[in-house]
Amino acid sequence: MSRILRVNMTDLVAKFEEVPDKYKLMGGRGLTSTITCDEVPPTCHPLGASNKLTLATGIVTGTSAPTSGRISIGGKSPLTGTIKEANSGGKAPQKLARLGIKALIVEGQPKEKGKFWLLKVDKEGARLLPADEFVGKGLYETFPRIFKKFGQDVGVIGIGVAGERLMSMAGICVSDPENRPSRYAGRGGMGAVMGSKGLKAIILNDKGGPGVPIANKEVFDTGRKKLTAALREHSITKPGGALNTTGTATLINVINEAGALPTRNFRDGRFEGANKISGETINEICKQRGGVGMTGHSCSPGCIIRCSNVYPKPDGTELVSVQEYESVWAFGANCGIDDLDVTGELIRLCNDYGVDTIEAGVAIGVAMEAGLAEFGDSNKAIELMHEIGKGTPLGYILGSGAEITARTLGVVRYPTVKGQAMPAYEPRVIKGIGVNYATTTMGADHTAGYTISSEILGVSGAVDKFILEKADLARKFQHTTAFTFDSIGHCLFISFAVLDIPSALEGVVEECNGVLGTSWTADDLIRMGKEIVERERAFNEAAGFTRAHDRLPDFMKYEKLPPHNVVFEVPDEELDKVHAP
Ligand code: SF4
């Protein structure tokens, strides 16, 4: 029987509750967003006592379903002011699920300012322990010390100094299978929410835990096998396929070729140094330098796609895991830097300080636009990252995200929606992703509706990227994502197989039915995704958001982007059609 663990940081009490009937068939984002809607006042301050941080594993997380080790972390975002869900892989999510915990709700705030705690959860229960010895420390120091103290087999979810300082670009870090501080529920400043609760880290030991109950093992196994076969067949997800060999950064050359790789703070759609920071080059460097360098690394146990990597220094020792597409782009093309050793160092600093690589890279790009550094100046970019780590006044500005950085430094061209930095796809070229950036409940977020699958990769039927009528496509992707990818517990990257191979989707439905004892169809998954998005939009409306917020930055409507020389000319009426009643 799964339970909810509720931790009150004011009284320092952790208690287990029965799962209410209405939550029993939920998981992941569906559950974090529903609990946020039920328990968090939409107008509250995101870093005040009324906000709550909810962690929920997916429906099949903790089972033997392939590539299913995800956790959703949600609440009200200090970066956007909207509802937020960010999700991550890593070693810890399966441990939370196998401890029989469906959701962990963190509420209240410590009475003593500046005091931080560890939450230790095992089969005996949950308790809070003082975290004084870890406060103010980077995660490359904190995580090894936690593993030394509590055992190498635990899973850890924690925050760095940026979260302790309530910076709006702070993410929540999840330990990977080798106990690195490298996987992130990065977006929207959820690390600051965790910091505002005085919670430094959650330590999960699932030894002797009850595991995840499966109502119908035969149905579950049938589904699991169908999905596994499809993932092993699809050209993007199969062993030796694109994700497995060159990782997500395989997209650098693809998106650059499409003229949609945002370059030097979204001034160009092509970067002359793209190939030097591509997935192909990461693969080559890993082979040439040897040592610990590898592609085809798995970020969480049970992933059969294995898109992650461990990037080596020239001497073969480890620089960082992971150089993935968004991070390499944010510090690479977006800052005019064409050196993977530099992007690797900047990503390592993000892992250490506990910040979102996308928000950090875009904030530094904005700072370069303001004249604090030349585009392409690697040393200055690293210096700016250190400002965040040191907590200087400039560091606090940068740490507040790209939009605050721009407004403070007098920059008019800043690529954000609802306060959140855009990821690595130019909306002036790929119109559908622009429609999604404008209209998701989370601000600019590619994972909330990854239309790149259709508009660039030709998955689920190719769609012309330049066509303006994208409301139907955006809605379809947003609804599918909210449940099928964000609530069930699979990594988003199963989507290529699920959208292209009918038996993969059947398999996902059967996995859920097997775990929950339901008799859902594929249509039910879409219906529930729609309900999640509608619930989230209702929260945002109550928080003061209107359709006027579902828009892209003004400069993208008049500034032509080379090489296609296009603006974002999707009419407002088309944007409003996405969520029209
Ligand atoms: S596909 Fe990549 S990101 Fe997804 S779970 Fe596997 S290694 Fe992690």
Side-chain angles (χ1 to χ4, degrees):
M1 175 72 83
S2 292
R3 294 177 294 172
I4 286 177
L5 173 58
R6 188 179 293 272
V7 182
N8 187 302
M9 298 303 297
T10 312
D11 303 331
L12 301 176
V13 170
K15 61 175 189 191
F16 288 93
E17 300 172 356
E18 272 189 35
V19 179
D21 283 346
K22 69 179 285 197
Y23 296 157
K24 281 193 173 145
L25 301 182
M26 294 182 181
R29 172 177 164 188
L31 191 48
T32 62
S33 286
T34 305
I35 290 173
T36 302
C37 289
D38 288 347
E39 299 199 11
V40 175
T43 53
C44 75
H45 195 295
L47 302 177
S50 303
N51 197 10
K52 299 190 184 188
L53 185 75
T54 301
L55 300 86
T57 52
I59 290 166
V60 302
T61 302
T63 70
S64 56
T67 313
S68 65
R70 306 296 290 189
I71 190 166
S72 291
I73 304 181
K76 180 170 175 175
S77 161
L79 188 73
T80 63
T82 65
I83 200 165
K84 174 60 68 178
E85 181 265 359
N87 65 61
S88 174
K91 189 169 88 167
Q94 288 152 324
K95 292 187 179 293
L96 187 67
R98 288 174 190 154
L99 279 162
I101 297 171
K102 198 165 179 66
L104 195 171
I105 304 170
V106 186
E107 59 189 22
Q109 283 182 326
K111 292 172 185 154
E112 201 180 329
K113 195 171 159 40
K115 182 83 181 162
F116 283 87
W117 300 86
L118 304 175
L119 174 68
K120 182 167 188 301
V121 190
D122 55 28
K123 70 176 177 18
E124 309 298 337
R127 58 211 160 274
L128 288 157
L129 308 166
D132 306 74
E133 63 184 297
F134 304 109
V135 176
K137 304 284 188 292
L139 288 172
Y140 282 105
E141 180 180 342
T142 299
F143 269 38
R145 283 173 55 186
I146 287 178
F147 283 109
K148 190 166 177 211
K149 188 166 178 168
F150 295 96
Q152 299 298 321
D153 289 340
V154 300
V156 179
I157 300 172
I159 56 167
V161 291
E164 291 175 23
R165 294 174 184 144
L166 312 188
M167 291 177 174
S168 295
M169 66 163 64
I172 295 180
C173 184
V174 182
S175 57
D176 82 350
E178 292 81 36
N179 296 341
R180 296 181 188 87
S182 65
R183 310 307 306 189
Y184 269 83
R187 307 236 65 197
M190 300 319 291
V193 179
M194 188 162 162
S196 76
K197 303 295 177 203
L199 189 57
K200 177 71 180 172
I202 301 164
I203 298 142
L204 302 162
N205 182 348
D206 63 337
K207 197 167 174 207
V212 178
I214 296 179
N216 187 329
K217 187 139 186 355
E218 201 181 329
V219 171
F220 171 75
D221 277 339
T222 304
R224 173 178 65 80
K225 285 175 189 163
K226 281 184 189 172
L227 178 61
T228 301
L231 291 174
R232 292 204 162 121
E233 176 192 331
H234 197 280
S235 63
I236 297 178
T237 57
K238 69 182 182 184
L243 283 172
N244 186 240
T245 52
T246 45
T248 54
T250 199
L251 280 170
I252 291 274
N253 280 333
V254 174
I255 304 297
N256 193 54
E257 189 57 32
L261 188 71
T263 297
R264 289 179 281 272
N265 193 32
F266 290 70
R267 283 196 176 274
D268 205 326
R270 284 218 176 107
F271 179 45
E272 63 286 354
N275 195 47
K276 290 188 186 169
I277 57 167
S278 66
E280 292 81 351
T281 303
I282 292 171
N283 187 282
E284 273 308 304
I285 288 176
C286 286
K287 282 186 198 154
Q288 278 167 16
R289 292 182 178 174
V292 300
M294 67 177 293
T295 53
H297 174 256
S298 172
C299 85
S300 58
C303 175
I304 62 172
I305 301 173
R306 304 176 74 97
C307 77
S308 178
N309 57 54
V310 179
Y311 184 84
K313 294 178 191 169
D315 65 2
T317 59
E318 182 172 326
L319 175 60
V320 73
S321 179
V322 49
Q323 296 243 41
E324 59 90 30
Y325 175 63
E326 300 294 334
S327 309
V328 167
W329 158 78
F331 293 119
N334 187 57
C335 292
I337 292 170
D338 64 2
D339 185 338
L340 281 165
D341 290 344
V342 177
T343 61
E345 175 63 14
L346 287 159
I347 295 164
R348 199 185 67 77
L349 291 172
C350 287
N351 287 350
D352 199 32
Y353 300 147
V355 299
D356 174 25
T357 53
I358 297 175
E359 199 66 43
V362 176
I364 289 177
V366 165
M368 287 175 163
E369 172 110 11
L372 267 59
E374 296 287 325
F375 284 106
D377 187 336
S378 303
N379 292 333
K380 269 282 182 193
I382 291 170
E383 271 177 37
L384 289 170
M385 272 302 301
H386 282 306
E387 299 283 334
I388 297 172
K390 286 188 273 192
T392 62
L394 175 59
Y396 269 95
I397 292 168
L398 293 164
S400 300
E403 184 161 322
I404 296 288
T405 299
R407 286 172 181 259
T408 309
L409 299 176
V411 173
V412 174
R413 304 176 65 265
Y414 50 94
T416 63
V417 177
K418 301 185 181 81
Q420 180 164 278
M422 281 183 193
Y425 309 92
E426 239 301 342
R428 282 169 283 188
V429 178
I430 312 172
K431 311 293 182 187
I433 202 70
V435 174
N436 263 330
Y437 288 165
T439 61
T440 79
T441 50
M442 312 271 164
D445 181 349
H446 62 300
T447 65
Y450 194 63
T451 59
I452 302 303
S453 294
S454 294
E455 295 183 285
I456 296 291
L457 303 174
V459 170
S460 184
V463 175
D464 185 331
K465 59 183 177 293
F466 289 114
I467 286 176
L468 303 184
E469 290 76 25
K470 292 284 170 57
D472 292 343
L473 183 77
R475 185 187 315 111
K476 178 181 126 187
F477 269 87
Q478 287 187 40
H479 290 172
T480 303
T481 302
F483 194 88
T484 308
F485 304 130
D486 284 349
S487 296
I488 294 178
H490 287 294
C491 174
L492 177 65
F493 298 142
I494 72 158
S495 62
F496 304 112
V498 167
L499 294 172
D500 264 353
I501 302 175
S503 61
L505 179 56
E506 277 171 32
V508 170
V509 175
E510 286 163 358
E511 284 176 348
C512 289
N513 288 336
V515 170
L516 298 171
T518 47
S519 48
W520 289 341
T521 64
D523 287 345
D524 288 322
L525 269 51
I526 305 292
R527 172 184 54 77
M528 290 185 283
K530 178 172 186 276
E531 288 167 4
I532 292 166
V533 171
E534 285 173 352
R535 221 168 285 148
E536 292 170 345
R537 279 186 68 82
F539 181 96
N540 288 351
E541 267 179 42
F545 287 85
T546 69
R547 287 180 171 180
H549 297 93
D550 289 346
R551 302 290 182 260
L552 292 196
D554 195 38
F555 80 90
M556 290 187 168
K557 295 175 191 158
Y558 58 77
E559 184 185 288
K560 289 185 180 173
L561 182 83
H564 295 295
N565 295 318
V566 284
V567 297
F568 188 76
E569 72 280 58
V570 175
D572 289 352
E573 296 72 34
E574 184 71 13
L575 299 176
D576 293 340
K577 260 171 58 184
V578 176
H579 298 295

